[in-house]
Amino acid sequence: MITQEIRQLNTDTLPLEFRKLSLADKENLEKILSHNTERLGWEYSFAMTHIWNSRGNAEVCFLSDMAIIRSMWGGRRIYYPPILVDQRHLCRAVSLIENECRIESVPLDIRGLEFEQMQRFDGSRYDISTSRDNCDYIYSTDDLITLKGKAFHSKRNFITRFKATYPDYNFRAYNDELDRKNIFALYEKWNATTEHETYALEQLVITRALDYRVELNLQIGVLYVNDNLVAFSISDISNHNIAHTFFEKADKDYIGSFQAINQFSAQAFLSNHKFVNRQEDLGIEGLRKAKLSYHPIKLLEKYRAVKC
């Protein structure tokens, strides 16, 4: 148990030294992330953390064998799961976070813990919780590329219809000069027909993804019919075990465009990865139905540990 292990540690009484997370931290953070390739949650994608840090709240502390990231959410300080060179040092990392919280008189709140990490917390000392809405959807890349079998019959049919209906379609990699304005025009059209409460924030995050696509090693696919952009996708391919698809938007007026951009992007950009994380559904009914229809191989439960 983490509580029992912490009692045996000699923790420094000084607070940790945090600084604003920036693109300059990518190299150092990814050195530590390279020891976490089996971690499947989005919290282990530097690109995801960076582009969603649109308000500049995220901060990082580097130690010799770990990195600790904290941010603000809903007016509350939260910590990401510690990123460790050696997974056996989780208790030490939590002790450092506890000490930090004690010095600054804020509650300890760690979010995004995976199951085996959560098991090391003493349930009598921490409030442990999880939510179906925050489970990450993990897919087999081979499933998304091939769409083999009865389970994907309807997906194959939609793509066949798309190709037959729009024979002049063109899928290719993103070109900033040609595609940026079209992406935002499509996003506005998509948003107009979708219940979406975080439009302004997501629009800013897409902007950041386009701005930092090269530095973050993002792969962006665009799908056109004639001169009309009908779909786009944005994925992080930095982790050789799992890719992270952040955005995938399509024009509902074009039959099969959602299914087409999904398969085309997987075929073009994700084939060197075993898994794809397509994030959570946030309890949105339509989004949950769409994500389940691709038959994830795992719903990655993530846990929150709170100690006041």
Side-chain angles (χ1 to χ4, degrees):
M1 292 294 183
I2 279 182
T3 301
Q4 297 170 341
E5 295 177 68
I6 284 175
R7 291 172 184 157
Q8 302 172 12
L9 296 174
N10 294 319
T11 304
D12 194 334
T13 58
L14 296 176
L16 298 172
E17 295 184 3
F18 282 88
R19 66 168 184 263
K20 292 288 186 181
L21 181 72
S22 73
L23 194 60
D25 295 312
K26 179 178 184 292
E27 182 178 356
N28 286 336
L29 196 56
E30 290 196 340
K31 285 180 181 178
I32 304 176
L33 284 169
S34 68
H35 297 273
N36 294 263
T37 56
E38 298 303 314
R39 297 291 176 194
L40 303 180
W42 65 256
E43 292 85 357
Y44 295 88
S45 163
F46 175 82
M48 180 72 168
T49 302
H50 181 71
I51 65 171
W52 279 95
N53 186 33
S54 58
R55 296 188 175 96
N57 290 326
E59 298 178 310
V60 63
C61 172
F62 286 103
L63 300 172
S64 61
D65 58 352
M66 68 179 68
I68 299 173
I69 297 175
R70 69 184 189 186
S71 188
M72 296 295 295
W73 185 259
R76 183 182 179 95
R77 179 189 291 178
I78 64 169
Y79 290 85
Y80 288 25
I83 303 171
L84 309 171
V85 170
D86 187 334
Q87 302 305 316
R88 293 174 297 180
H89 293 169
L90 178 62
C91 64
R92 173 169 163 256
V94 174
S95 74
L96 293 170
I97 295 173
E98 279 200 6
N99 187 61
E100 173 83 6
C101 293
R102 183 170 53 251
I103 291 172
E104 300 194 6
S105 299
V106 297
L108 177 146
D109 189 343
I110 304 176
R111 306 188 188 187
L113 295 162
E114 296 187 13
F115 180 74
E116 64 272 20
Q117 296 171 316
M118 175 276 295
Q119 285 187 306
R120 297 185 66 186
F121 283 77
D122 183 349
S124 67
R125 300 291 300 276
Y126 301 87
D127 181 13
I128 308 295
S129 61
T130 186
S131 169
R132 170 65 176 81
D133 296 351
N134 293 325
C135 291
D136 284 1
Y137 286 74
I138 310 298
Y139 300 88
S140 161
T141 308
D142 187 61
D143 284 347
L144 300 183
I145 289 173
T146 65
L147 299 176
K148 289 181 179 178
K150 184 177 179 180
F152 294 103
H153 176 73
S154 65
K155 304 297 183 186
R156 296 195 302 272
N157 280 349
F158 271 113
I159 295 171
T160 299
R161 288 179 64 187
F162 178 85
K163 291 178 177 179
T165 306
Y166 315 109
D168 294 328
Y169 77 88
N170 176 35
F171 173 84
R172 58 172 172 77
Y174 172 82
N175 179 294
D176 194 59
E177 183 177 351
L178 300 176
D179 303 320
R180 179 179 284 255
K181 289 183 179 180
N182 294 336
I183 279 182
F184 288 109
L186 174 57
Y187 180 72
E188 290 190 14
K189 181 177 182 180
W190 171 86
N191 184 70
T193 61
T194 305
E195 293 184 6
H196 195 56
E197 298 178 354
T198 58
Y199 166 74
L201 174 59
E202 191 168 90
Q203 188 180 47
L204 178 57
V205 173
I206 292 175
T207 301
R208 288 172 60 81
L210 299 183
D211 288 345
Y212 298 111
R213 65 194 181 282
V214 175
E215 294 87 344
L216 295 175
N217 197 28
L218 302 182
Q219 289 289 357
I220 304 174
V222 293
L223 178 61
Y224 280 83
V225 173
N226 297 320
D227 293 327
N228 297 317
L229 179 69
V230 302
F232 70 92
S233 70
I234 304 176
S235 299
D236 170 28
I237 61 168
S238 298
N239 183 328
H240 296 299
N241 187 47
I242 184 165
H244 295 263
T245 295
F246 306 147
F247 294 104
E248 188 177 86
K249 309 297 184 187
D251 189 335
K252 295 178 182 179
D253 292 341
Y254 289 81
I255 298 171
S257 57
F258 278 100
Q259 293 79 9
I261 190 65
N262 190 307
Q263 187 188 46
F264 296 168
S265 296
Q267 290 174 335
F269 305 131
L270 310 182
S271 61
N272 291 329
H273 298 73
K274 186 175 181 180
F275 305 110
V276 181
N277 183 329
R278 294 177 61 83
Q279 318 309 317
E280 62 274 279
D281 62 37
L282 300 177
I284 301 171
E285 183 178 353
L287 187 57
R288 177 168 296 184
K289 182 178 179 180
K291 288 179 180 288
L292 288 173
S293 73
Y294 272 94
H295 306 287
I297 62 171
K298 183 181 183 67
L299 289 177
L300 182 67
E301 281 192 307
K302 296 189 293 185
Y303 297 82
R304 178 183 181 186
V306 176
K307 182 181 179 183
C308 297

